[in-house]
Amino acid sequence: MEHEHHHGEHHDCHCRHEHHHEHHGHGGAKGRLALILVTAVLLAGAVLVEKNLKLSTWQLLLVYLVPYLLVGHDTLKEAVEGIVSGEVFNEHFLMTVATLGALCIGFLPGAEPEFPEAVFVMLFFQVGELFESYAEGKSRESITHLMNIRPDVAHLTVSDGKGDLLSDVPPEEVPVGSVVIVRPGEKVPLDGIVMEGTTTLNTVALTGESMPRSVAEGDEVVSGCVNLSGVIRVQVTKSFGESTVSKIIRLVESAGEHKSRSEAFISRFARVYTPVVVVAAVVLAVIPSLLGGPFATWLYRSLMFLVVSCPCALVVSVPLTFFGGIGGASRRGILVKGANYMDVLAKVETVVFDKTGTLTQGEFAVTAVHPETCDERHLLHLAAHVEHFSTHPIGTALRNAFPEETTDGCVVSDVREVAGQGILARVGEWMVCVGNTKLMETMGVQWHDCYRCGQDSHTVAGTIVHVAIDGVYAGHIVINDQVKEDSAAAVRQLQRLGVSRVVMLTGDRQEVADDVARQLGLTEYHAELLPGDKVERLNGYLDDAAGNAAKVAFVGDGINDAPVLACADVGIAMGGLGSDAAIEAADVVLMDDRPSKLPLAIAIARRTIAIARQNVAFAIGIKAAVLLLAALGMATMWMAVFADVGVTVLAVLNAMRTLRG
């Protein structure tokens, strides 16, 4: 099966931003603005000289050459470099031919000099460059705000035999297992585990969320977060190259390599279109002249034709639109790995969710306690003690539900685990059994039939943990995964966006799936699936969508869903903080694990595509109209300039709307 998002196309744009912005970035905007203002003053002075002094054509040319060469020397240089490198038909070449032609046309018999127009074309061209460089600078700022998460230094603890000393070293030089100190106001330099201290972390650069995250001893922290309050000691668990911050930076830096279909089309279009219009301009100048028309008139029209024909508005604004869209999304904690995935996201009509870790928290918690022979607290107290040594998620949930378990002084002894059934232990003076119905039966527990029937873990949504004290049934505890607080809202928002099919796939039991689907308002879901079954189901949705332009997205936690993520038209991972597999495997990463970011991502993608289409339609429409007028002799050089640089400026300004995300 071939999926378009795995085959990003790499084409080079032959337009001015390819060379020019290497040395005229956002930082050179003030210099370009000064150049434009000086040229405008010199052009106005040249016009006054022409009107007030009776100069010959040659003398006027010398007057106008001063502002022309001042503002146009970079363009002339780029045109020459393009010819030397074999890339002749770029915008610099078109501008050079058109303006040099306008400068020379006044020397033809019966023709009027067009010196002001030639200078103005170059001047307005630089105005377009100014707007473009500003827009691209803002776009790049939007993307590279993530680069600010890169930490500059790590305070490494070094023992000298008498105590710990601090040594400031680059994060790249800190070995795994070392301990670093992070003070308030500093960035966490590397991924690790808090060994000492408590604090709150600002994760906005990673997740787009402003709510600080509290961490204490034993909690994981990831590089790039900002420490807000306390001093913490962190044991490093990953080298800098494998840390979250490094992976995100690599992801963002490579996002521009994957061109969208729109960008690839525009690049190919410009390569064919540009030489065609140059030939058409030559034909427009020569053929009518051979048939008896005035050469100066038809040369002037062909020069206007050349100015109008520059595809710059398309070649600049469309990639800029996608670049801005990716930057705007990244500010909201949505990392899109390339513009081609924006294309696919905008066309998504089927969203398939994994359940555990995606729509739910992926962590067990006690949801109900049903005592029979004791109170709720005592039941939890005994169950938590019995599970003290268990590494099973159910044991963790029981201990979390009774945090006093480690401090109430009870002695736990004679711990014995029965495989597949549960755990026995003596807690103080009581012999306690915690497990499923099989354990109760194995131990000969006395219980009422009403607790035995209809309460087994196979008949309700959640896992039932039975507790017996000294051979007598004491009650049961319900443990379940928790639905994320914004999952239901995410499903509703997707439906409002027109996503026609929202599906949940899970390997969990049918009863659990029924309960989660009811809470989320889902009507289509499938339970008790193996990983291979999920791939098979997803392939069915892909086949259903194959007959039209609709796309299928799969949303998973990026760890155990890699096969399904790879099969979908666009794989979306709930990245969370520090989920390596999510960052590596998916096409789009939702950095804060919130399902509601998915409808936002789709909305941003659709808005980006809409703006790109607006620019294409606007540019082609205006150019076609002015090209026709130029060929008929009804256009002026001023109209030609607007159809080229003016349209480019407007398209770039429109593209900048994507930065809002």
Side-chain angles (χ1 to χ4, degrees):
M1 184 185 303
E2 182 180 349
H3 298 295
E4 65 197 78
H5 72 289
H6 294 299
H7 304 285
E9 298 183 59
H10 301 270
H11 298 286
D12 295 323
C13 288
H14 297 297
C15 193
R16 66 176 179 251
H17 69 289
E18 181 179 322
H19 309 287
H20 232 48
H21 290 302
E22 292 176 11
H23 29 262
H24 293 296
H26 190 41
K30 290 183 178 178
R32 181 177 285 126
L33 179 60
L35 177 68
I36 289 169
L37 293 175
V38 171
T39 303
V41 170
L42 290 175
L43 176 59
V47 171
L48 289 174
V49 167
E50 180 182 1
K51 288 186 176 299
N52 294 295
L53 300 176
K54 300 298 182 182
L55 298 178
S56 68
T57 304
W58 280 107
Q59 290 171 323
L60 278 177
L61 174 62
L62 294 175
V63 171
Y64 279 102
L65 272 178
V66 175
Y68 175 82
L69 292 175
L70 178 66
V71 79
H73 67 277
D74 270 339
T75 303
L76 298 172
K77 179 184 173 185
E78 296 284 355
V80 172
E81 288 178 358
I83 293 170
V84 171
S85 64
E87 298 174 359
V88 177
F89 297 112
N90 56 36
E91 174 152 305
H92 304 287
F93 174 79
L94 295 180
M95 281 292 172
T96 299
V97 171
T99 53
L100 289 178
L103 289 174
C104 296
I105 202 170
F107 295 96
L108 294 175
E112 291 292 325
E114 302 290 349
F115 301 144
E117 286 87 340
V119 179
F120 189 79
V121 167
M122 279 296 189
L123 178 63
F124 205 8
F125 182 68
Q126 287 298 321
V127 172
E129 288 272 283
L130 178 67
F131 275 92
E132 184 199 331
S133 64
Y134 175 78
E136 189 165 310
K138 295 295 286 184
S139 255
R140 197 163 295 281
E141 283 174 16
S142 179
I143 286 282
T144 57
H145 79 281
L146 281 173
M147 301 306 106
N148 295 329
I149 66 178
R150 181 186 174 92
D152 300 319
V153 69
H155 305 307
L156 180 65
T157 60
V158 181
S159 177
D160 65 349
K162 300 178 182 178
D164 286 341
L165 300 176
L166 289 186
S167 174
D168 290 348
V169 299
E172 295 89 340
E173 297 178 9
V174 177
V176 173
S178 303
V179 176
V180 296
I181 302 292
V182 187
R183 303 181 181 117
E186 296 178 340
K187 300 185 186 76
V188 177
L190 297 129
D191 294 10
I193 296 174
V194 178
M195 296 181 63
E196 185 182 315
T198 60
T199 189
T200 52
L201 300 177
N202 179 353
T203 66
V204 67
L206 299 178
T207 67
E209 296 298 319
S210 57
M211 182 66 69
R213 173 186 170 219
S214 298
V215 294
E217 185 177 335
D219 290 338
E220 291 186 5
V221 294
V222 297
S223 49
C225 299
V226 177
N227 185 10
L228 296 179
S229 50
V231 177
I232 53 175
R233 292 168 62 91
V234 177
Q235 184 171 35
V236 176
T237 56
K238 294 178 187 172
S239 65
F240 184 76
E242 293 301 311
S243 66
T244 300
V245 67
S246 293
K247 290 184 177 181
I248 292 175
I249 289 172
R250 285 199 298 270
L251 168 61
V252 172
E253 286 176 339
S254 63
E257 295 176 3
H258 302 284
K259 292 191 175 183
S260 72
R261 283 191 161 194
S262 303
E263 288 179 280
F265 165 75
I266 293 300
S267 297
R268 294 194 300 270
F269 171 80
R271 289 181 176 182
V272 175
Y273 165 87
T274 308
V276 167
V277 296
V278 171
V279 172
V282 172
V283 169
L284 185 63
V286 173
I287 299 299
S289 302
L290 294 176
L291 297 176
F295 180 64
T297 299
W298 287 104
L299 177 61
Y300 182 69
R301 292 180 186 181
S302 71
L303 293 174
M304 283 192 293
F305 193 91
L306 275 180
V307 173
V308 176
S309 69
C310 296
C312 168
L314 298 175
V315 180
V316 170
S317 68
V318 171
L320 194 62
T321 301
F322 283 96
F323 197 60
I326 291 172
S330 72
R331 285 187 175 278
R332 308 293 290 274
I334 302 164
L335 301 186
V336 183
K337 290 190 178 180
N340 50 332
Y341 306 125
M342 280 282 192
D343 269 340
V344 181
L345 266 177
K347 298 173 185 172
V348 165
E349 290 189 11
T350 299
V351 174
V352 182
F353 283 101
D354 174 54
K355 179 184 76 71
T356 307
T358 303
L359 293 171
T360 65
Q361 301 285 359
E363 297 178 359
F364 283 111
V366 171
T367 56
V369 181
H370 298 286
E372 185 182 358
T373 60
C374 60
D375 60 36
E376 290 186 11
R377 189 176 186 281
H378 190 57
L379 194 68
L380 274 176
H381 159 228
L382 293 177
H385 273 297
V386 171
E387 296 284 351
H388 177 79
F389 299 103
S390 173
T391 57
H392 193 280
I394 288 177
T396 303
L398 288 170
R399 292 195 301 274
N400 290 341
F402 192 79
E404 302 100 306
E405 177 258 336
T406 57
T407 59
D408 64 4
C410 287
V411 178
V412 180
S413 60
D414 301 333
V415 179
R416 179 164 62 93
E417 184 170 354
V418 181
Q421 296 184 16
I423 299 179
L424 318 173
R426 182 169 294 281
V427 181
E429 62 194 55
W430 297 290
M431 190 65 194
V432 183
C433 303
V434 179
N436 56 22
T437 54
K438 289 182 181 179
L439 181 64
M440 300 296 113
E441 292 168 353
T442 300
M443 304 308 298
V445 171
Q446 301 171 14
W447 59 355
H448 298 296
D449 287 343
C450 61
Y451 284 94
R452 196 168 180 172
C453 302
Q455 297 293 349
D456 191 57
S457 60
H458 293 288
T459 58
V460 298
T463 298
I464 304 299
V465 178
H466 298 287
V467 181
I469 303 173
D470 292 335
V472 178
Y473 187 72
H476 64 273
I477 300 167
V478 182
I479 294 176
N480 206 351
D481 194 1
Q482 301 292 294
V483 173
K484 291 180 180 178
E485 60 182 18
D486 68 331
S487 291
V491 172
R492 290 194 300 271
Q493 289 164 9
L494 287 170
Q495 291 166 343
R496 281 199 293 269
L497 282 172
V499 175
S500 58
R501 206 170 188 180
V502 182
V503 187
M504 180 180 73
L505 303 181
T506 180
D508 216 331
R509 293 180 294 109
Q510 185 66 48
E511 293 79 11
V512 175
D514 291 340
D515 184 58
V516 172
R518 177 187 55 77
Q519 294 183 58
L520 300 181
L522 289 172
T523 57
E524 188 174 357
Y525 55 95
H526 305 278
E528 301 180 18
L529 301 176
L530 298 172
D533 299 328
K534 291 183 180 181
V535 173
E536 187 176 336
R537 289 276 182 184
L538 186 70
N539 285 336
Y541 298 127
L542 290 167
D543 291 340
D544 292 345
N548 52 51
K551 300 299 179 185
V552 178
F554 179 80
V555 191
D557 59 14
I559 298 170
N560 56 4
D561 296 312
V564 206
L565 284 167
C567 283
D569 288 320
V570 58
I572 302 168
M574 310 298 290
L577 294 178
S579 179
D580 297 343
I583 293 174
E584 298 290 344
D587 306 319
V588 178
V589 182
L590 310 180
M591 284 304 296
D592 62 356
D593 269 354
R594 295 172 57 124
S596 58
K597 285 291 177 71
L598 176 58
L600 176 61
I602 292 175
I604 289 173
R606 289 182 179 177
R607 184 165 172 267
T608 300
I609 297 294
I611 290 174
R613 287 176 176 166
Q614 290 165 13
N615 283 340
V616 170
F618 175 65
I620 290 179
I622 296 294
K623 283 180 181 293
V626 179
L627 281 172
L628 180 61
L629 292 174
L632 298 175
M634 300 170 64
T636 64
M637 186 65 79
W638 308 108
M639 292 172 63
V641 169
F642 171 76
D644 173 41
V645 185
V647 167
T648 300
V649 169
L650 294 176
V652 164
L653 291 175
N654 191 37
M656 288 179 68
R657 295 194 296 127
T658 59
L659 294 171
R660 295 203 299 267

